[in-house]
Amino acid sequence: MHIHKYEKWWLTFGISSLVLFLFIVGFSAFHYGSHPPTGKVYIDPERVDEIVPFNNPGVQKVEGKEWDYEVVLVASAFYYNPPEIEVPLGSTVKFIATTKDVVHGFQIVGTNINMILEPGYVSEYVTTVDKSGEFLILCNEYCGIGHSTMTSMLKVVE
């Protein structure tokens, strides 16, 4: 079989580009330590209910920190614990979340709050709530057959 010289050039160019791309991605991933954005804290996903602060999920007022409230959430098979969160308007809130089983999403509709929850990793997000109302919390990562029912509610009250 005879391959034209221009076909050889294009094959060489294409394969070289692919190898270069894979090298750059591989180098970046290993050199810079590719991991979840807030993958600084690792916990045992089978013991989440025993580990502080996840042993007491909900809203806690805090003092002496840069935020006013901490919202601790645990995601598991088609359920957020707690199912409803209430915080005052204008407060700075730190969301601390993890999951026990599979990858889940945590998105508060109508805001810029969006996290991926991975088993064993603690995800955190700090924000100031500046709009009052009820905001739906959705799982935006497919997590199984009951994915569409995995919701919660954030109530921002005056």
Side-chain angles (χ1 to χ4, degrees), residues 57-58 71-85 95-109 113-118 135-143 146-154:
V71 176
V72 178
L73 288 133
V74 177
S76 58
F78 323 125
Y79 180 75
Y80 288 112
N81 187 16
E84 189 174 289
I85 303 161
F95 292 91
I96 306 168
T98 192
T99 176
K100 296 192 241 182
D101 47 15
V102 298
V103 174
H104 292 284
F106 178 82
Q107 177 183 8
I108 302 178
V109 178
I113 301 169
N114 189 2
M115 297 187 290
I116 294 178
L117 310 179
E118 295 185 61
F135 299 90
L136 183 64
I137 300 173
L138 296 173
C139 177
N140 58 3
E141 293 286 330
Y142 183 74
C143 55
H147 167 72
S148 61
T149 64
M150 188 168 176
T151 62
S152 186
M153 186 65 68
L154 170 66

Side-chain angles (χ1 to χ4, degrees), residues 18-55:
L18 179 63
V19 169
L20 178 66
F21 172 75
L22 292 175
F23 174 76
I24 290 171
V25 169
F27 178 78
S28 298
F30 292 109
H31 179 69
Y32 295 114
S34 181
H35 50 75
T38 57
K40 299 174 188 167
V41 179
Y42 181 81
I43 60 174
D44 183 356
E46 295 178 4
R47 296 182 49 237
V48 170
D49 293 329
E50 303 168 16
I51 299 171
V52 175
F54 301 107
N55 60 346

